[in-house]
Amino acid sequence: MGVVHTQRKPDQTPGPERGFQLPRSWGLAVSVLCLGLLVGLSSGLLARFFELTQVGLLGFAETPGTPTAEAVPPIRRLASVTIAGLVAGLVWAWLRTRTRLVPSVGQAVKGAPMPPGRTVVHVLTQIFFVAAGGSIGREVAPREAGALLGGLWTRLGRRLGLRDQDGPLLVASAAGAGFAGIYIAPLTGAFFGIEVLLRRVDAEVVTVNLAMSALATLVGGSIKGFAPYYKVGSESFRPWLMAVVLLIGPVMGLLGAGFRRMTSWAEAHRTTGPAAIWQLTVVALLTGLVALAVPQVLGNGRALAQMGMDQRLSAGFSGLQLAQPLALLALFALAKALLTTATIRAGAFGGTLTPSIALGSAMGAVLGLLLACLVPGLPVWQCAVIGAASLLAASQQAPLMAMAMLMEVCHLPVMAFMPMGLAVALSMAVSRLFVAKA
């Protein structure tokens, strides 16, 4: 019987380019190291750009001790945010009508390519607008910059032995690292990548996210400093505070769900095209007019959040002394919520994370002042911080990220985890009842 010879077909299995390749584990390690350093550098530079823009337009640089532009002449506040609204409106209208849209971070994680030039313009416009006083968060900009770097790295690093599914992991981790590098909050950045973007947990996902955010925090902090973002009191968190959060948590859950629905509506109906130019200018002008008397509404909400955390109730207080801060905090929080929603609706791009902290801090302080009448010695600032974490968790539907962020940006002691954890859990439970219906 003759031997039948068959011709062997070449390997048709798709894969990375032939040639030398690193083992996948080494490729991931190199990717984490390089991306962590690059994203941290981008976040640090964005922080410096924010400071330079703020000094140039408003004439002051915010710090934990001076977060509000109260010393800036009112007319300069008005001019700064109004001009910024016009400039940002022009840029965003051009991006929306003359070029392809810049994908969101979530879309980038799913594989949508972020065009480098347009993404950089988009990122810098967000930072410029918030630094000038626009009522919206700036945290989306460093996340977009991180996602851009992560996407470029995965497309260029073909010889690192990475798999197709490593792309979303690296892009999400880089986006979270961008957040970590600008707020000096490594756990927050890691939880954002895990809890918000990837929505899955395993040893590899946690390791990559934690390592990249830690490296980005190191580099970003080396550029902008490691000081806390908010200044808080020094009193210890007592176990009996657990009883107080039984009220704070559910209330913040309701408010957080309401704010989420407001901003989600604004994002769904965001103005596009040339109309964004005049609409964003009008909203910026309105923000400036409010800021003539209430400078706390300017920017991403840091000033209002710090106002809530600065509240103290002195011994022998009168009803009038209590009524004034209660009214101001509630009024300022309402103004901030409405202006942020209107800013998004008018065509602005940015985040709602730091505005959520501002609202939670202000309303947490309101509840703290009222409860201090019944519980003498209650540190009102602790109610503000817990309120900030609880409302943030509800508005972002990200409890671990919210809790980690307030712990990190305020440099809180580990005992704060106890009341904050319960408050965040209660807030999430209540908010889910309303978010699920949205």
Side-chain angles (χ1 to χ4, degrees), residues 7-388:
Q7 184 178 2
R8 184 179 180 182
K9 295 182 179 180
D11 184 10
Q12 301 294 324
T13 304
E17 298 177 3
R18 297 183 181 277
F20 173 76
Q21 291 181 359
L22 289 173
R24 177 175 176 270
S25 59
W26 282 93
L28 273 179
V30 171
S31 299
V32 168
L33 175 62
C34 294
L35 278 175
L37 298 177
L38 289 172
V39 173
L41 178 62
S42 73
S43 294
L45 293 177
L46 286 175
R48 288 301 185 196
F49 176 67
F50 179 88
E51 294 171 4
L52 292 173
T53 303
Q54 196 172 57
V55 170
L57 294 179
L58 277 173
F60 101 112
E62 63 181 37
T63 65
T66 311
T68 311
E70 288 179 318
V72 177
I75 192 64
R76 185 166 183 175
R77 299 177 211 152
L78 175 62
S80 173
V81 69
T82 304
I83 293 172
L86 173 61
V87 172
L90 287 167
V91 174
W92 279 322
W94 172 75
L95 286 174
R96 295 296 294 265
T97 58
R98 301 298 180 89
T99 67
R100 288 184 300 170
L101 295 179
V102 175
S104 67
V105 171
Q107 292 169 333
V109 172
K110 294 177 181 178
M114 302 191 77
R118 293 192 294 275
T119 301
V120 170
V121 172
H122 190 57
V123 165
L124 293 178
T125 303
Q126 292 177 58
I127 297 291
F128 167 80
F129 182 57
V130 178
S135 182
I136 198 168
R138 60 169 170 151
E139 67 276 358
V140 171
R143 297 200 302 244
E144 289 181 346
L148 168 63
L149 291 170
L152 290 174
W153 178 268
T154 56
R155 289 197 293 273
L156 295 175
R158 298 297 186 184
R159 296 188 181 277
L160 295 177
L162 302 178
R163 303 172 184 169
D164 290 342
Q165 60 265 36
D166 293 329
L169 171 60
L170 292 175
V171 172
S173 301
F179 185 93
I182 204 166
Y183 283 103
I184 317 303
L187 281 177
T188 306
F191 282 137
F192 178 81
I194 297 168
E195 189 176 36
V196 178
L197 294 178
L198 295 171
R199 295 183 180 275
R200 65 185 177 92
V201 179
D202 57 48
E204 185 176 83
V205 167
V206 173
T207 300
V208 171
N209 275 272
L210 278 176
M212 201 181 295
S213 286
L215 288 169
T217 301
L218 173 64
V219 177
S222 299
I223 295 173
K224 70 180 293 288
F226 293 91
Y229 193 69
Y230 300 108
K231 184 177 67 174
V232 297
S234 58
E235 295 95 334
S236 300
F237 282 79
R238 302 297 184 185
W240 52 263
L241 195 62
M242 296 287 282
V244 172
V245 304
L246 295 176
L247 173 64
I248 296 177
V251 172
M252 294 303 134
L254 286 171
L255 295 177
F259 186 57
R260 180 184 177 90
R261 296 185 73 164
M262 289 171 60
T263 54
S264 296
W265 173 86
E267 290 173 355
H269 297 84
R270 181 187 278 120
T271 300
T272 60
I277 300 172
W278 70 264
Q279 289 190 21
L280 191 55
T281 303
V282 169
V283 172
L285 174 62
L286 178 60
T287 303
L289 291 173
V290 175
L292 292 175
V294 188
Q296 287 85 355
V297 301
L298 294 174
N300 67 351
R302 183 181 189 178
L304 179 57
Q306 190 62 61
M307 180 181 176
M309 297 175 193
D310 286 342
Q311 295 300 311
R312 303 288 187 273
L313 197 60
S314 58
F317 63 91
S318 65
L320 182 60
Q321 289 174 322
L322 180 63
Q324 184 177 7
L326 288 175
L328 290 178
L329 286 166
L331 183 62
F332 291 2
L334 177 61
K336 186 64 180 174
L338 293 176
L339 287 172
T340 301
T341 302
T343 299
I344 297 172
R345 173 65 175 81
F349 289 85
T352 58
L353 191 151
T354 37
S356 296
I357 291 177
L359 300 180
S361 176
M363 297 311 297
V366 167
L367 293 178
L369 289 169
L370 293 173
L371 290 169
C373 299
L374 305 174
V375 186
L378 173 66
V380 178
W381 71 266
Q382 294 181 0
C383 298
V385 168
I386 292 171

